[in-house]
Amino acid sequence: QVQLVESGGGLVQAGDSLRLSCVASGRTFSSSTMGWFRQAPGKERAFVAAISPNDGRTVYAGSVKGRFSISRQNAKNTVYLQMNSLKHEDTAVYYCAADSHRRLGIPTRRDLYDDWGQGTQVTVSS
């Protein structure tokens, strides 16, 4: 099991940047796929980005590709989400998630992730 704590959210203007961080505790971080999801008011939680445990493979939702970048530092048990060129529609609560199962690909379905953080609010004013 992995405990996850997100930080870095806030209120910004359209076009600004933010970097979210997620610090994990637990023995399985370095072998876990890490993902970011977001949930806007009245909508389901949706996949944003994910990164493989050790070889740097990444996957992005189409709506953020080219603007967001996911990275991780296993030595620090931390995963990041760099968000550039933010838009009003990026407003949501952002959640960090961990998938400790060994898989061939990088999952984008939220039900494949075992552990979740409490979320951090990102608000982008237009």
Side-chain angles (χ1 to χ4, degrees), residues 2-75:
V2 179
Q3 290 77 45
L4 305 170
V5 179
E6 304 97 332
S7 63
L11 172 63
V12 296
Q13 294 185 335
D16 285 350
S17 298
L18 271 179
R19 188 175 81 157
L20 305 183
S21 300
C22 172
V23 178
S25 60
R27 295 177 295 167
T28 61
F29 177 81
S30 61
S31 60
S32 297
T33 294
M34 297 301 297
W36 287 96
F37 289 74
R38 67 186 181 185
Q39 188 166 17
K43 295 188 177 180
E44 293 190 352
R45 194 171 299 187
F47 173 77
V48 175
I51 187 167
S52 60
N54 290 300
D55 61 6
R57 288 178 294 129
T58 57
V59 175
Y60 295 92
S63 59
V64 307
K65 202 168 186 178
R67 299 188 298 122
F68 290 13
S69 177
I70 187 171
S71 60
R72 64 191 296 163
Q73 285 187 289
N74 286 346

Side-chain angles (χ1 to χ4, degrees), residues 92-105:
V93 178
Y94 283 72
Y95 297 91
C96 174
D99 171 22
S100 60
H101 298 90
R102 296 185 69 176
R103 305 183 197 274
L104 291 178

